[in-house]
Amino acid sequence: NAGVMQNPRHLVRRRGQEARLRCSPMKGHSHVYWYRQLPEEGLKFMVYLQKENIIDESGMPKERFSAEFPKEGPSILRIQQVVRGDSAAYFCASSPGAGAGGYTFGSGTRLTVV
Amino acid sequence: GDSVTQMEGPVTLSEEAFLTINCTYTATGYPSLFWYVQYPGEGLQLLLKATKADDKGSNKGFEATYRKETTSFHLEKGSVQVSDSAVYFCLSISNFGNEKLTFGTGTRLTIIP
């Protein structure tokens, strides 16, 4: 039973390019969360999604960042026109539903902007 | 809003020393509390959890007790090993309204032989 799958594990982008990070939740999980971990900092909440719905995006930067969780396929975190400050580890977590408390994290995608 | 205050690191201990990493929370209602661990180069793994007051979570020799009166969930281990070197995150999950995960800033623990 596969856990939360994130890919790619490592992603290098030049400034101005687009970065797409993918997260496939655990089987049976319909809730997805994205977090960003900046170097030497803690985990910062970005966005909480259910299938085809954004529930809470209060942690998302206002520009260049977007997230989706379509009916079919993985959740995608998209960063347009990346800048050096976007370099970080991005973690995805999934859970079966609100209040379930069963959060499983992926191994993360390490984005490096050069 | 909800918040988690975690003992700042880094923490360096000798093997077999006693470990305490403090964590206190503020939340609406009674959140569920978790400790997650991140080993070098890896993602986050659930270490232990407690979902109501006075519950004690335990795993791999680590323990934490949900103390409502002090709003705390301190992580303890009686005798640490080099393999415990990692970053530890305290997490609060409030079920009040939309579920929201609130992490502490993480504590980097290094155990020296």
Side-chain angles (χ1 to χ4, degrees):
Chain A
N1 189 15
V4 176
M5 304 300 293
Q6 284 189 253
N7 64 82
R9 285 295 300 271
H10 301 275
L11 180 62
V12 179
R13 284 287 178 266
R14 294 185 186 280
R15 280 179 293 172
Q17 290 185 318
E18 178 179 284
R20 279 188 176 226
L21 289 63
R22 286 176 291 276
C23 169
S24 296
M26 279 190 71
K27 188 176 180 180
H29 286 193
S30 58
H31 294 229
V32 165
Y33 308 78
W34 284 95
Y35 287 81
R36 175 164 61 174
Q37 184 179 32
L38 293 165
E40 303 305 319
E41 293 189 24
L43 286 154
K44 302 296 183 185
F45 169 78
M46 298 184 76
V47 63
Y48 163 32
L49 310 107
Q50 295 177 26
K51 288 278 187 183
E52 300 184 282
N53 280 312
I54 296 174
I55 306 302
D56 184 346
E57 56 181 347
S58 57
M60 289 278 271
K62 293 286 187 286
E63 297 175 349
R64 301 188 297 108
F65 284 72
S66 62
E68 63 176 9
F69 188 17
K71 188 176 179 181
E72 301 291 337
S75 175
I76 306 288
L77 178 67
R78 183 196 298 180
I79 311 172
Q80 296 177 301
Q81 299 176 319
V82 295
V83 300
R84 288 246 171 92
D86 297 332
S87 295
Y90 292 82
F91 289 96
C92 166
S94 73
S95 77
Y103 298 92
T104 304
F105 281 81
S107 298
T109 294
R110 279 152 183 82
L111 172 66
T112 302
V113 179
V114 297
Chain B
D2 293 6
S3 68
V4 173
T5 301
Q6 193 174 330
M7 176 178 176
E8 286 192 23
V11 173
T12 302
L13 295 172
S14 297
E15 206 166 18
E16 299 183 3
F18 183 86
L19 168 72
T20 300
I21 301 178
N22 290 339
C23 172
T24 57
Y25 67 91
T26 59
T28 305
Y30 303 106
S32 297
L33 301 171
F34 303 75
W35 277 99
Y36 275 80
V37 57
Q38 184 182 28
Y39 296 105
E42 298 184 16
L44 291 152
Q45 301 174 27
L46 176 64
L47 181 60
L48 52 84
K49 67 178 181 181
T51 56
K52 61 182 188 297
D54 300 325
D55 268 3
K56 177 188 279 188
S58 60
N59 185 27
K60 299 182 181 180
F62 290 89
E63 291 184 342
T65 301
Y66 190 146
R67 303 278 188 206
K68 188 176 70 173
E69 61 277 8
T70 55
T71 62
S72 65
F73 193 55
H74 304 323
L75 182 68
E76 296 182 336
K77 186 172 185 180
S79 176
V80 292
Q81 306 300 314
V82 172
S83 57
D84 294 327
S85 298
V87 180
Y88 292 81
F89 291 92
C90 184
L91 168 65
S92 159
I93 300 175
S94 174
N95 297 325
F96 198 81
N98 286 330
E99 194 157 75
K100 194 147 189 170
L101 285 67
T102 304
F103 279 95
T105 52
T107 301
R108 183 176 298 279
L109 173 67
T110 301
I111 308 301
I112 52 178

